[in-house]
Each structure stands twice: as structure tokens, then as C-alpha cells.
Amino acid sequence: MQRRDFLRTTGVAAAGVWLAPAMVNAPDTVAAPGAAEDASVLGIGAPRMPLPRPKFIAPSGLTLTAAEKSVAVDGHSAPALAFNGTVPGPPLEMRRGERVRIDLHNALREPTIVHWHGLHVAPAADGHPRLAIPPDESYAYDFVVNQRAAMHWYHPHAHARTAAQVYRGLAGLFVVRDEEEASLGLPSGDREIFLVLQDRRVASNPAAAFTYQPSAPDIMMGHFGDSVFGNGVPRPTVDVEASTYRVRILNASNARIFRLALSTGAPFVIIGNDGGLLPAPARVDSIDIAPAERIDLLIDLAGLAVGTRVMLRSLAFTIAGGMPGMGGAGRGMGGPMAGMGGSTPQGTPLDVLELVVARGGGRAYAPPARLSTVGSLAGTAIGHQRTFRFATRMMRHTINDSAFDMSRVDERVPLGRLERWTFANDDMLPHPVHVHATHFEVVARRGGRGIVLPWEAGVKDTVLVLPGESVDVLLRFDAHRGLFLLHCHNLEHEDAGMMMNFEVV
Ligand code: C2O
Ligand code: CU
Ligand code: CU
């Protein structure tokens, strides 16, 4: 099997410029209004919805209530779950060094607990499933954020309920700012766009857009939607000026990988990921973003005429060694797996966000050659090596052949020791692997795409491991002792057992 075909990456060209072969259609800068929906199965003729602009609040002295709530989707009332009445939850913003005090109140009819994905906090504040609280109870979080600027997020982590609760609307942004980032003078205010992406299964029933009813194949592959919601609305659109924008994207989908590209064929400049700013900017034609990953982009709209419409879209792709009908390059669409994942399996092209140039502006921003001083661990002596094999066999999702057991400690890791962990995927499904309590450096990928991709520079907390790939990361737990999690962030896989406990000792 030609695994190397997947993503068709050709490697890194000079000066940090990554060139993907032409897989984007010819530039079509000025699509006629109404023609924007060409790639979508859904939403033809339906108006685009304004992208709600997040209003950030300080995460101190905050009560965060998880409760049922109906939200409007295309004029229908869709039952959902919301934090403080909003979907996604209220975005939180703080500066490095500030103290966070949040009371989570569970007004749901089932247990929940919140995890601060990307934050390095003590076990009592990390939202481990053993800490889940029953209905009507509260949980107090109190921690100081002492880590670099980055866009993180929060979501429930109750055992076997994460997929449903996140899908039904419980997720929100958590943005950390620091001096290093501020010194760059990046586009800000209206020119900084925050985008929480989730694919939702709407079909012809908008009232069911936040209803979670997975089939048996969904539990195996992951739950895929047919329509992309941005900040809680379908077919999002945003009016912009002809300037450079900073666009910060979270993929909060349960299972969908997006391959983002612009309809104009223009490249992105990637400046950051789940760990914050990259050491240096990189120019790319398209970017793959798996569940729980974040990317920080510069999109240059300076010079475009008023009236220009640019679609940020997810391109079609196939996964070499993947499952036929699930974005796999395996042939035989008539095989036993055909049709799994519904009409929009992994790799289906989808519209993501329409940018409409509504005003001139002309503010262009060029990033400096050096963005940050994020350190490299490569070259430091490695104290220990571990391998984690992610596998789906016979409807079981496992790591090193075991399914999650809340009371079993699978690994013990000494505080402060540099280790190399290898995440290996020998099966036919993609696994976005996430580690709690630290960030890691991606140092090598063997098999599959075979390289460390430009958006994997710097540090990360989630890395996509495709069929046939082994990814090496370097990491060290410096902050807290205690029990943390390693898991696949395909939420159906996580809930079905692709998760393990490790204890920092
Ligand atoms: Cu975002 Cu343990 O997860
Ligand atoms: Cu996490
Ligand atoms: Cu997985």
C-alpha cells in the first residue's frame, strides 16, 4: 500500500517554505454571490450566517454552569447543552501569571467535569473522569496559569460521556496572552478572528443539529457531520476589510480532520499551533487540522477588491492505508465499508468560512523572521523511551492492547525527566493523540507522511497519527505530580477506551 501518497507531501523546500503540490483547484477569487455553496451538499440556497464574534471574559470569580438549552439553527429550535447559556461556551482570556478561579456547576441530568485542554494544572484541576460530579453539584477550580501564550480550550471529560457532551455544545476557548506575543504587534481587534469548528449532522433536520445518536459504525470510525458550524452557526460568513487577518482556529469536532485551504489558491502563513507561536512563520498551501488541534494563521486579504468573496474550505483527501469509504484510499467503494460515515465521511470537501471583503483597509502585516524563542529539547539526553500502540480491532479501541480502566495506573513517569514517546498506528483509522499536563516537541514521523509538518513545529499537545505512522515526541513533566491522561482525541475512540492513565511521580 502506498501510504506515502497520503497528503502527498513533497517535503520542505528552502527557507521554511513548504510547498504542497497543486491539489487546489484553479484560483476562483471572485465567486458570484450564491455560487459559494458549490462544494457543499447541504445548504444550497440557504443564507450564510454571520460568524458570532467572541466576547472574552476573565476566568476569575466565574461560575460556569453546564445546562440544557435550545439554540436557533436556521429558524429551528435545536436542543443542545450550553455553558452559561452559550454555544460554544464563553471564551475566556487571561494573561500569563494570572490566577483562575472557576466554579463549575452541573445543571445537567448526568455527571460531568471540565478539563482545561492545553493548560498545565495540578491533577485536582485537570478534569480527570474520576472527578466527575453528579447533577446539581459544583466543583471549584483554582490555579495559576504559568505557561506561554496560546489558544487552548475547555470541554467535559466525564468517562464515556465526552463525545456526547462536546458534540451537544459543551466546549469553549481559553486564550492565554503574554509579553512575547504582544511584542509582535500581530493583527488584533477586528483583525483577529477566533473560529471554533465543529462538523454537525444536520441532514434535512436543523432541529437535530445538536443531537447525538451515534450508530455502531460511528462508534468505530468517529461521528461525522455533513455541515461545518463556526462559533455555533452553520455556513458562517464574516465581513472583512482588505487587510491581513490573524485567524485562530480550534477543531472541536469529534472525529473530522479538516484540510484547510483558500478558494483563491493563495497560501496561508502559519504562525502558531496548540503550543503557541512557532519559532518562525511558514508559508503553506493547505493545513491539516485534526480534532483538538489549534492553528494560528495569517490570511492576507490586502489588495482584494471590495466585494471579493474568499472561501476557507476543507479540501477532499484520501488516507493511504485508511478504511475504504472512510476517507481511505482503499478501493472498492462497493465493499463492506462503503457508505459508513454517512454521505460525508472523512475526507469529504466542505465549506468552512466565507470571508467577504466589505471595506478597503490596506493594512498589511508581515511577520518577523523569528516569532518566538520556544526552546528545543532535541540534543538533550533522553532519560527514557516508551511506545504506545493505538489500535482498533474487533470494535475495540485500545492503547497497548488495553482499554481504559479508571483505577489502573498504566505508566509512571518521573517529574522532570526528559522522555521520548512513540505513538504508533498500525490500523486503518486516524488517531489524534493528546497528552495532558505538558506540551511536547514532535521530532520525527516514520511511515505515512514521513515528515514533521510545518504546523507541527514548536510545541504541541495533540498530534495526528495516521495509519502506518509512528510519531516520536520529546516531553517532560515539570509542573505537577499526580494522575493524568493520554488518549486519542477522536472522541468516540476516547469514550470507547482509547485512553490511559499515567502518574507523574
Ligand atoms: Cu481535550 Cu483529555 O482532552
Ligand atoms: Cu487535555
Ligand atoms: Cu483514535
Side-chain angles (χ1 to χ4, degrees), residues 217 221 323-328 330-345:
M221 323 281 190
M323 191 162 278
M326 277 308 304
R331 338 285 138 194
M333 294 304 284
M337 298 301 181
M340 281 193 177
S343 58
T344 47

Side-chain angles (χ1 to χ4, degrees), residues 37 42-43 46-50 74 227-230 233-237 352:
E37 259 103 336
L42 284 142
R48 294 201 159 265
M49 308 277 292
D74 287 342
S227 179
V228 182
F229 282 49
V233 304
R235 305 175 309 280
T237 186
V352 172

Side-chain angles (χ1 to χ4, degrees), residues 186 246 269-273 276-282 296-298 367 371:
L186 289 161
R246 180 182 188 189
V269 173
I270 171 121
I271 59 169
N273 59 15
L277 292 167
L278 305 184
D296 196 345
L297 304 174
L298 296 175
L371 289 169

Side-chain angles (χ1 to χ4, degrees), residues 41-42 199-203 224-228 256 343-344 350:
V41 186
L42 284 142
D199 63 328
R200 305 201 151 278
R201 201 168 285 179
V202 180
F224 292 95
D226 47 48
S227 179
V228 182
R256 173 144 338 254
S343 58
T344 47
L350 292 162

Side-chain angles (χ1 to χ4, degrees), residues 357-382:
V357 180
R359 310 176 285 287
R363 283 185 286 178
Y365 175 86
R370 233 27 242 165
L371 289 169
S372 82
T373 55
V374 58
S376 174
L377 296 170
T380 318
I382 292 163

Side-chain angles (χ1 to χ4, degrees), residues 131-391:
L131 304 174
I133 50 171
D136 297 325
E137 288 197 9
S138 294
Y139 192 93
Y141 295 88
D142 188 342
F143 53 91
V144 173
V145 171
N146 184 23
Q147 58 189 89
R148 63 199 305 258
M151 190 175 83
H152 302 303
W153 62 304
Y154 60 95
H155 62 77
H157 223 303
H159 187 41
R161 298 175 188 276
T162 299
Q165 292 186 2
V166 172
Y167 185 81
R168 296 181 64 199
L170 296 178
L173 294 177
F174 194 121
V175 171
V176 179
R177 307 280 193 183
D178 69 7
E179 294 302 320
E180 183 182 55
E181 179 198 30
S183 72
L184 296 177
L186 289 161
S188 61
D190 286 345
R191 291 186 299 135
E192 183 178 24
I193 293 177
F194 295 88
L195 182 61
V196 178
L197 297 179
Q198 286 188 305
D199 63 328
R200 305 201 151 278
R201 201 168 285 179
V202 180
S204 51
N205 186 8
F210 289 81
T211 302
Y212 184 71
Q213 280 168 338
S215 64
D218 292 339
I219 299 296
M220 183 168 153
M221 323 281 190
H223 183 281
F224 292 95
D226 47 48
S227 179
V228 182
F229 282 49
N231 300 353
V233 304
R235 305 175 309 280
T237 186
V238 63
D239 281 355
V240 293
E241 59 176 49
S243 291
T244 306
Y245 276 74
R246 180 182 188 189
V247 182
R248 310 182 69 177
I249 304 175
L250 160 68
N251 183 356
S253 303
N254 283 30
R256 173 144 338 254
I257 300 162
F258 296 104
R259 171 170 292 180
L260 298 178
L262 295 171
S263 59
T264 55
F268 305 115
V269 173
I270 171 121
I271 59 169
N273 59 15
D274 15 297
L277 292 167
L278 305 184
R283 188 172 289 270
V284 295
D285 289 337
S286 70
I287 294 178
D288 296 323
I289 177 171
E293 287 189 302
R294 287 85 76 201
I295 49 170
D296 196 345
L297 304 174
L298 296 175
I299 297 184
D300 188 7
L301 304 170
L304 295 185
V306 171
T308 305
R309 288 163 181 267
V310 178
M311 184 63 77
L312 176 66
R313 50 170 61 136
S314 184
L315 305 177
F317 61 87
T318 56
I319 299 174
M323 191 162 278
M326 277 308 304
R331 338 285 138 194
M333 294 304 284
M337 298 301 181
M340 281 193 177
S343 58
T344 47
Q346 193 74 280
T348 302
L350 292 162
D351 283 354
V352 172
L353 174 69
E354 188 181 43
L355 302 154
V356 181
V357 180
R359 310 176 285 287
R363 283 185 286 178
Y365 175 86
R370 233 27 242 165
L371 289 169
S372 82
T373 55
V374 58
S376 174
L377 296 170
T380 318
I382 292 163
H384 196 68
Q385 146 80 35
R386 301 172 204 258
T387 299
F388 302 91
R389 281 172 295 106
F390 292 75

